Amino acid sequence: MNKLNPRQQKATKLIDRHLLVLAGAGSGKTSVITEKIAYLLQQHKVDPARIAAVTFTNKAAEEMRNRISARVGKKLVTPLSVSTFHTLGLKILRRECKTLGYKPGFSIFDATDVQTLLQEILREHNSSNTLDPASAAWQISQLKNALQTPADALKQAADGQQATIAGLYQRYQQQLKAYNAVDFDDLIVLPMQLLKSTDSCGEKWQKKLDYLLVDEYQDTGPSQYEFVRALMGKQTRLTAVGDDDQSIYAWRGAQPENLQKLTEDFSDLDVIKLEQNYRSMGRILKCANQLIANNPHHFEKKLWSELGYGDPVRIIPCATPEDEAEQLALEVLHTKFQTACRLSDFAILYRGNHQSRLFESALRLHDLPYKVSGGTAFFDRAEIKDLLAYLRLIVNPDDDAALLRIINTPRREIGANTLEKLGAFAGDNNCALFEALNNPALGQSLSSAAVNRLSHFTDLINELKFASHSLDAPQLLHKLIDEIAYLDWLANTTKDKAVTDSRIKNVTELCDWIKKLSDRQDQPLTLDELLGKLTLMDIIGRKEDERDAIQLMTLHAAKGLEFKHVFIAGFEEGLIPHHSAETDAAVYEERRLAYVGITRAKRNLTISFSKKRKRQGTISTCEPSRFLQELPMDDIQWENADNIPESEKRAKGNASLDSLRKILA
């Protein structure tokens, strides 16, 4: 308790009234929750079974439980309820399922199950509608989280499309019940309805709790808000912790105004603001405060720090996204070798997962390890794994795993039965699958049609292997892509044009990256050498928790994290704020997202943007984000990265390498 500041202590010790803790970024909100629970258990001897703490993710719940356990011991923590909203809802459903007409042992449908069920319903009813199951699932989820029943949805339908969704919603719920199943949203909606509609059931659960603590309250939607109210008995005291300036999940139903609603629903609510930031330098906080002040506020607060004022926030305009990625990679190199910090002290943040590709490429070229959080890492993308499997098999014909991945990619009508017989033949002859393909005796086990298809594949690999003796790695990759018409296959197997374009772009990126890698060598890079480098890179890449690596992630994924050196990339109109932000409310959320990004930085913050970017196949001019104009001009420093000659960029990189040599010496 002595480690808490006066406001944190006040929030911890206030236990006889409802409390809203407005916890700014980096203000130690988790400490307040854990210390308050420890205070209730140790100082007031509250029965741990009568305390519940609720948050949004399993990771956050586990971290909270571990911190409380470290303070009070496992014995007191065991009966304590620390969980997500959905886990608590599931606990209630399991005990009360008969009241709702469900049998014990009901199933919980995941996203795949839900879409499969909706697809069946659409097919059964011969829907001529162009509804896609994934889109329908999202719309039904939105209706549930807004607490609308199928009847409500039908009554409020403004057009034929909404009426169709309402009808689908009704059939979906009926089918779920027939399967004795619930979906993820039902884990909150059904318990909430149960507690509010059944007096005896509601009273039973309300009497169980004396203290309810809810973290990240700004992320609650209508269903979570009503669930909390339904859990509150006359004796229950609520502690809600949140920050309306960090509400960035409207797309999944979050309503930051729920913080304000608490003041209306609980007349005896106390409000305590935590404004001292323990993370960032003063200049970073000044930028964050001035930016977010442009949003309307019910609660005013201003972050401050005792950590010092710090360096200016740097703004780097870049000519193209490629230049931006290269410049930020050089900035990481320069800063690392000037300060001797770890690579894990760096984070490159961006608006969408699609932006990671160029940064991955630039970091790989500079041999800088990185970790992609959320999204799919470059080498884990299916199209990249396909092409690399071809290259692996060309170099090593004994690589059965590579052969099995590509023998039917693109489609060659080589069925499972054929592969099963091929595997049996290879086993009987104690050889690899590709060697078995070259054995004339294989024809005795297979039909002539199957042998003919396999021969085409064998001839292709043999031809490419022969070509690898005269072509360098980039040339061979291009030949491979042309020979198997891989880009055409990608286009023909994916209905969504955006997905097709993205996959083709990944292939182009692989070709460009291998070409750049080869150009950096004294001699052309052979296929064998390339795969050696890639294998080492992959082995290192799998040891995510053991390595020192730069963090690449979206602004949404960065919430709750902190890094010494933060780069926010793509600070342009159309990205930040996003082009879909057409209303004032949407722009307010985009500004909150930028605020979250800024407040991740502990020591240094760099913001970059591109002057031109390719959109829908055409190069267009980009406008710097309007949010840049809202930052304090005296505290930012503009760079002119796109005007720096290539020789100067190289000199900067060489200076960084010289610093590294001095450190190693």
Side-chain angles (χ1 to χ4, degrees):
M1 187 71 73
N2 293 332
K3 295 180 180 179
L4 303 182
N5 66 40
R7 289 192 182 184
Q8 290 174 325
Q9 288 195 30
K10 183 179 178 182
T12 298
K13 292 181 177 180
L14 198 155
I15 63 171
D16 58 346
R17 295 165 62 85
H18 300 304
L19 173 65
L20 169 59
V21 181
L22 280 170
S27 63
K29 68 179 178 63
T30 307
S31 296
V32 168
I33 296 174
T34 54
E35 288 298 328
K36 185 160 193 169
I37 292 174
Y39 181 69
L40 289 168
L41 295 173
Q42 293 180 321
Q43 301 300 318
H44 291 269
K45 309 301 179 186
V46 176
D47 180 354
R50 301 191 65 78
I51 302 173
V54 185
T55 188
F56 275 83
T57 67
N58 288 318
K59 182 180 178 182
E62 184 65 22
E63 180 186 346
M64 192 183 297
R65 177 175 284 278
N66 290 339
R67 290 179 66 164
I68 297 168
S69 180
R71 284 285 286 109
V72 304
K74 290 184 179 179
K75 186 177 180 181
L76 280 177
V77 168
T78 301
L80 185 71
S81 175
V82 182
S83 68
T84 65
F85 279 98
H86 294 89
T87 302
L88 181 57
L90 177 58
K91 179 181 177 181
I92 295 172
L93 267 184
R94 279 180 173 154
R95 296 192 186 178
E96 308 292 344
C97 61
K98 290 183 180 179
T99 308
L100 289 167
Y102 288 87
K103 301 171 188 173
F106 55 83
S107 300
I108 303 171
F109 275 24
D110 63 16
T112 303
D113 297 327
V114 168
Q115 289 186 34
T116 300
L117 175 55
L118 286 169
Q119 194 167 25
E120 288 176 3
I121 295 171
L122 287 168
R123 189 185 301 116
E124 181 183 340
H125 288 267
N126 297 317
S127 174
S128 58
N129 197 286
T130 56
L131 259 181
D132 155 292
S135 172
W138 182 82
Q139 292 181 69
I140 289 172
S141 177
Q142 293 293 100
L143 290 170
K144 285 193 176 188
N145 282 301
L147 302 178
Q148 288 194 37
T149 65
D152 294 334
L154 188 59
K155 187 176 180 180
Q156 296 177 28
D159 53 38
Q161 180 73 4
Q162 290 183 11
T164 299
I165 287 292
L168 182 61
Y169 179 15
Q170 184 173 31
R171 291 191 293 275
Y172 168 72
Q173 284 302 108
Q174 291 168 346
Q175 200 65 50
L176 268 184
K177 194 73 175 287
Y179 287 160
N180 195 41
V182 297
D183 62 22
F184 196 60
D185 298 315
D186 288 333
L187 296 181
I188 293 176
V189 175
L190 291 178
M192 182 273 297
Q193 291 174 346
L194 181 73
L195 297 181
K196 295 188 86 172
S197 63
T198 310
D199 291 342
S200 59
C201 183
E203 287 178 9
K204 179 176 71 174
W205 284 92
Q206 289 166 0
K207 287 178 180 178
K208 289 176 180 287
L209 284 181
D210 287 337
Y211 294 94
L212 177 61
L213 299 94
V214 184
D215 193 14
E216 305 287 8
Y217 210 86
Q218 77 280 351
D219 292 336
T220 58
S223 60
Q224 288 102 342
Y225 188 89
E226 292 302 324
F227 186 29
V228 167
R229 291 197 62 186
L231 283 167
M232 298 280 296
K234 293 178 181 179
Q235 82 291 346
T236 310
R237 293 294 171 261
L238 172 68
T239 297
V241 182
D243 180 9
D244 50 346
D245 289 333
Q246 295 189 76
S247 181
I248 56 174
Y249 297 112
W251 48 274
R252 68 183 189 197
Q255 295 182 335
E257 56 268 28
N258 282 350
L259 292 170
Q260 179 184 342
K261 283 181 68 177
L262 287 173
T263 63
E264 301 164 3
D265 291 342
F266 299 100
S267 58
D268 63 341
L269 182 81
D270 272 14
V271 178
I272 295 176
K273 299 177 185 178
L274 302 184
E275 297 171 295
Q276 182 175 0
N277 176 285
Y278 294 93
R279 173 189 300 156
S280 305
M281 305 298 282
R283 207 186 293 254
I284 293 170
L285 296 180
K286 183 178 176 183
C287 287
N289 286 332
Q290 186 158 317
L291 173 71
I292 205 65
N294 290 277
N295 273 7
H297 286 85
H298 182 75
F299 304 102
E300 295 292 340
K301 67 178 183 304
K302 193 172 185 180
L303 296 177
W304 59 276
S305 170
E306 293 181 341
L307 299 176
Y309 201 48
D311 298 329
V313 171
R314 298 175 63 215
I315 312 294
I316 303 181
C318 300
T320 66
E322 290 78 12
D323 289 340
E324 181 181 40
E326 173 68 12
Q327 179 63 24
L328 295 196
L330 290 174
E331 292 291 338
V332 170
L333 270 172
H334 182 71
T335 304
K336 174 176 170 52
F337 298 138
Q338 289 293 321
T339 62
C341 61
R342 292 170 56 81
L343 286 173
S344 55
D345 290 330
F346 294 89
I348 298 176
L349 311 181
Y350 35 76
R351 183 63 174 80
N353 283 315
H354 66 280
Q355 292 172 260
S356 74
R357 182 191 297 107
L358 293 178
F359 295 106
E360 291 184 67
S361 176
L363 295 174
R364 286 196 302 271
L365 281 173
H366 290 283
D367 296 322
L368 289 168
Y370 62 86
K371 177 181 177 181
V372 180
S373 299
T376 306
F378 187 74
F379 285 112
D380 287 334
R381 294 180 169 103
E383 53 276 10
I384 304 302
K385 296 181 84 165
D386 287 345
L387 294 174
L388 294 185
Y390 269 102
L391 299 183
R392 281 165 46 200
L393 187 63
I394 292 166
V395 169
N396 176 20
D398 292 337
D399 192 335
D400 286 354
L403 182 144
L404 289 171
R405 179 177 184 90
I406 60 172
I407 196 166
N408 232 0
T409 304
R411 185 77 177 158
R412 298 185 176 90
E413 297 182 359
I414 299 171
N417 188 43
T418 299
L419 291 176
E420 186 178 345
K421 290 179 180 179
L422 172 63
F425 182 86
D428 292 342
N429 288 273
N430 194 28
C431 65
L433 294 175
F434 191 74
E435 185 179 342
L437 287 174
N438 286 285
N439 191 323
L442 178 62
Q444 299 172 13
S445 305
L446 296 171
S447 68
S448 58
V451 169
N452 190 43
R453 295 187 193 106
L454 291 173
S455 294
H456 284 302
F457 175 74
T458 309
D459 292 344
L460 169 69
I461 300 301
N462 287 330
E463 178 190 342
L464 291 168
K465 187 169 184 65
F466 180 77
S468 70
H469 299 308
S470 57
L471 300 178
D472 62 21
Q475 291 169 335
L476 186 70
L477 180 58
H478 279 291
K479 180 176 176 61
L480 162 65
I481 293 168
D482 289 342
E483 289 286 340
I484 64 175
Y486 191 70
L487 298 184
D488 290 338
W489 180 74
L490 287 179
N492 293 330
T493 54
T494 311
K495 294 180 180 178
D496 189 322
K497 186 178 184 301
V499 173
T500 299
D501 291 346
S502 176
R503 299 185 72 185
I504 291 174
K505 194 170 185 179
N506 289 336
V507 173
T508 304
E509 173 65 25
L510 177 68
C511 295
D512 292 345
W513 177 74
I514 290 176
K515 178 69 166 61
K516 289 177 183 176
L517 190 64
S518 183
D519 289 345
R520 290 176 60 189
Q521 313 302 312
D522 293 332
Q523 296 180 349
L525 190 68
T526 67
L527 183 57
D528 196 19
E529 290 169 339
L530 170 67
L531 289 175
K533 286 180 175 290
L534 290 177
T535 301
L536 285 174
M537 192 178 292
D538 194 51
I539 290 171
I540 293 170
R542 300 302 168 191
K543 297 180 178 178
E544 297 287 2
D545 296 330
E546 301 173 18
R547 65 178 181 151
D548 184 26
I550 299 159
Q551 307 297 301
L552 300 180
M553 65 185 71
T554 64
L555 289 161
H556 283 96
K559 186 172 177 293
L561 304 178
E562 57 184 40
F563 306 92
K564 280 187 180 178
H565 309 286
V566 168
F567 299 88
I568 305 179
F571 221 75
E572 309 147 20
E573 291 292 313
L575 284 176
I576 309 172
H578 196 262
H579 62 80
S580 63
E582 297 178 347
T583 64
D584 287 345
V587 173
Y588 297 154
E589 171 142 339
E590 292 293 306
R591 188 177 283 111
R592 293 194 293 268
L593 189 58
Y595 172 86
V596 166
I598 290 171
T599 53
R600 299 312 94 196
K602 297 169 71 174
R603 294 291 174 267
N604 298 105
L605 173 66
T606 302
I607 295 172
S608 63
F609 64 88
S610 175
K611 293 184 176 181
K612 292 186 177 181
R613 191 175 293 271
K614 194 172 186 179
R615 292 192 175 98
Q616 297 179 341
T618 59
I619 302 293
S620 57
T621 302
C622 302
E623 290 293 326
S625 171
R626 71 193 75 174
F627 298 152
L628 289 176
Q629 300 172 18
E630 298 173 359
L631 301 180
M633 291 300 108
D634 292 342
D635 295 281
I636 64 176
Q637 175 181 311
W638 284 79
E639 308 282 348
N640 290 307
D642 55 317
N643 294 327
I644 298 175
E646 188 63 32
S647 58
E648 189 174 330
K649 289 183 181 179
R650 290 185 181 277
K652 190 172 185 178
N654 291 334
S656 297
L657 292 174
D658 289 340
S659 299
L660 173 60
R661 293 188 187 100
K662 290 177 183 177
I663 292 169
L664 294 175

